[in-house]
Amino acid sequence: CAVSPLQSLLIFLGESAILLLDFYFTHGFANKLHNEHKKMNKVIAATEDIAASLSRFDLVSAESVIKSVSLPPPLYDAFEQILSNLREYRPYLPDTLFMENDADKQPRDVSIPGLKSGEVTVVFTDIQSSTETWELCPEGMKEGLDIHNRVIRCCIRDYNGYEVKTIGDAFMVAFESAVDAGD
């Protein structure tokens, strides 16, 4: 069966049109894929910045990055929840964890100021039966814990101690001498 020159031209034009359409759609898909890849790289970089800020308890920087980038909703919600939790528990955490300004972003000196020797006395505190008290009277326990933390921190300051860390109602405190720790 012989094909006329007109039929050959129509077949060629049809195949060319199919190739052009295929290129158009493939190229469009490739561009969209490339753009999505760029967006994902921005989200990954932002997530790394947010996580680094949160690990330093730098809430201001973390919130700034969260607000400046279009994060996927579940990720955005998770970071907002972390920020909310850190703000809520802020009164129960040592001040040394939180960075309030750029000067605080320098590495923290974890030594006890004025320490004359390498020996320290470490004191651990804990509120006895606090779990049961939280269950029985959560609002009263919250108020009591606020008062407890202020009193303990005042004592730490008055007796030249250093708050190493706080978890819940427990403090870990270092003193230069056993006398200061025992008073």
Side-chain angles (χ1 to χ4, degrees):
C1 172
V3 177
S4 71
L6 181 59
Q7 288 176 323
S8 292
L9 180 62
L10 288 174
I11 291 171
F12 173 75
L13 289 175
E15 288 176 353
S16 296
I18 290 171
L19 287 174
L20 284 172
L21 286 172
D22 183 51
F23 174 78
Y24 174 79
F25 287 119
T26 303
H27 183 69
F29 174 76
N31 280 340
K32 287 180 184 177
L33 188 62
H34 178 71
N35 289 338
E36 286 300 313
H37 184 259
K38 283 176 27 181
K39 281 188 216 175
M40 286 306 299
N41 282 340
K42 286 181 183 178
V43 167
I44 290 167
T47 301
E48 288 172 349
D49 290 345
I50 295 165
S53 295
L54 290 173
S55 73
R56 296 186 315 268
F57 293 92
D58 184 355
L59 306 184
V60 173
S61 294
E63 185 170 37
S64 173
V65 176
I66 290 169
K67 300 292 184 199
S68 70
V69 177
S70 179
L71 296 171
L75 192 56
Y76 177 88
D77 294 343
F79 281 132
E80 283 294 320
Q81 185 64 54
I82 292 170
L83 282 173
S84 173
N85 290 346
L86 287 172
R87 284 190 195 99
E88 184 175 337
Y89 291 104
R90 172 73 170 95
Y92 311 109
L93 299 171
D95 293 336
T96 54
L97 286 178
F98 291 85
M99 298 180 180
E100 301 298 338
N101 57 49
D102 287 341
D104 292 334
K105 291 182 183 175
Q106 300 303 315
R108 292 190 293 267
D109 179 11
V110 295
S111 63
I112 299 173
L115 181 65
K116 295 173 184 65
S117 73
E119 295 181 21
V120 297
T121 300
V122 178
V123 174
F124 295 91
T125 70
D126 189 42
I127 297 176
Q128 187 172 0
S129 303
S130 64
T131 303
E132 292 83 12
T133 308
W134 273 109
E135 291 171 1
L136 293 172
C137 187
E139 288 303 314
M141 187 61 181
K142 181 179 181 337
E143 183 179 338
L145 188 59
D146 287 343
I147 294 167
H148 167 269
N149 289 353
R150 284 194 302 274
V151 169
I152 292 290
R153 288 187 173 120
C154 184
C155 291
I156 292 168
R157 190 174 41 256
D158 290 349
Y159 291 95
N160 304 315
Y162 177 80
E163 182 178 332
V164 178
K165 69 179 179 177
T166 306
I167 299 175
D169 61 37
F171 279 79
M172 177 181 177
V173 183
F175 293 90
E176 184 175 351
S177 74
V179 173
D180 286 342
D183 286 343

